[in-house]
Amino acid sequence: MKVDAGIKEIEQAYLHETMLAKYTGISLKSKSPLEEQASKLLTPFAFRKFQDEVERATSYWVIDVNGYHYHLKFIKKMVLGLT
């Protein structure tokens, strides 16, 4: 059945991600307590997606032009001096 094969594929991917995390370890990209807590609660795959979203969400500046208009500016990693 296709459903059984799909479930087994998801289980295999989960086991693979769990083994990778166990042997490679999870690295935190920031010193955020939220990131540390998420690393303990989420699966390795979900945690990496969480890290990507946090990084993307913090890559913008909101600039107040005159109290009514705002500019949203994307900050490239090179501008911030990050690797």
Side-chain angles (χ1 to χ4, degrees), residues 28-39 47 50 54 58:
L28 301 178
K29 293 183 179 180
S30 70
K31 295 181 181 181
S32 166
L34 180 62
E35 185 181 19
E36 184 178 348
Q37 188 176 28
S39 72
F47 179 66
F50 171 80
V54 168
T58 58

Side-chain angles (χ1 to χ4, degrees), residues 23-79:
Y23 292 109
T24 60
I26 294 176
S27 63
L28 301 178
K29 293 183 179 180
S30 70
K31 295 181 181 181
S32 166
L34 180 62
E35 185 181 19
E36 184 178 348
Q37 188 176 28
S39 72
K40 296 174 184 174
L41 296 174
L42 300 175
T43 64
F45 177 78
F47 179 66
R48 279 198 298 281
K49 293 296 181 185
F50 171 80
Q51 282 182 313
D52 293 343
E53 289 300 316
V54 168
E55 183 178 1
R56 211 175 86 210
T58 58
S59 298
Y60 292 90
W61 282 348
V62 178
I63 303 166
D64 183 0
V65 176
N66 61 7
Y68 297 104
H69 295 89
Y70 299 89
H71 288 282
L72 183 65
K73 185 174 183 177
F74 177 72
I75 307 165
K76 294 183 181 179
K77 288 182 181 182
M78 293 187 313
V79 171

